[in-house]
């Protein structure tokens, strides 16, 4: 995400409990992190902590969304994931081209 052509990111169920995400700080791109509230592989606290760390940086915005009822793979909740992603993309495109 340090490449200049990357302006936004969407991260779905990252695993900060398994991988070191320190390479993201400083992160020059804004984005969104999405986490299922019933994720059985990644403690929600770990992902929330990662989002807070990225949100504390200047000149970028990192949104954090938790999807109720969703596990790590969004079984039976993929429509909520799609809605969250679509909403984020539409909001970002609308703000960019106003």
């Amino acid at each position: 995400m340090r490449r200049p052509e990357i302006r936004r990111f969407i991260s779905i169920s990252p695993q900060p409990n398994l991988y070191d995400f320190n390479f993201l700080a400083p992160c020059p791109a804004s984005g969104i992190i999405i986490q299922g509230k019933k994720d059985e592989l990644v403690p929600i606290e770990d992902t929330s902590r990662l989002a807070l760390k990225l949100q504390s940086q200047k000149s970028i915005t990192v949104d954090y969304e938790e999807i109720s009822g969703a596990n790590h793979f969004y079984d039976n909740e993929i429509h909520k994931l799609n809605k969250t992603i679509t909403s984020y993309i539409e909001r970002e495109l609308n703000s960019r081209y106003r």
Side-chain angles (χ1 to χ4, degrees):
M1 290 194 318
R2 292 176 189 245
R3 298 178 62 141
E5 66 271 18
I6 296 176
R7 298 176 191 236
R8 297 285 186 274
F9 70 87
I10 297 173
S11 179
I12 302 168
S13 298
Q15 295 180 295
N17 60 323
L18 297 178
Y19 302 102
D20 181 7
F21 282 83
N22 285 327
F23 70 93
L24 292 179
C27 178
S30 294
I32 186 171
I33 296 174
I34 304 168
Q35 175 78 19
K37 281 191 170 184
K38 291 186 175 181
D39 192 322
E40 67 285 355
L41 299 178
V42 181
I44 202 162
E45 298 81 20
D46 291 356
T47 307
S48 176
R49 204 170 15 260
L50 172 63
L52 285 172
K53 181 177 182 178
L54 295 177
Q55 289 168 345
S56 69
Q57 299 176 105
K58 295 180 182 179
S59 304
I60 66 161
T61 301
V62 177
D63 296 334
Y64 176 65
E65 295 278 337
E66 294 176 352
I67 297 181
S68 63
N71 64 16
H72 189 74
F73 302 102
Y74 299 85
D75 294 332
N76 302 316
E77 302 296 343
I78 198 75
H79 63 284
K80 291 180 184 177
L81 176 61
N82 288 336
K83 183 177 178 182
T84 301
I85 292 169
T86 300
S87 175
Y88 177 76
I89 291 170
E90 287 175 352
R91 185 175 66 240
E92 290 302 310
L93 287 175
N94 285 334
S95 69
R96 185 172 182 191
Y97 294 106
R98 283 186 199 176

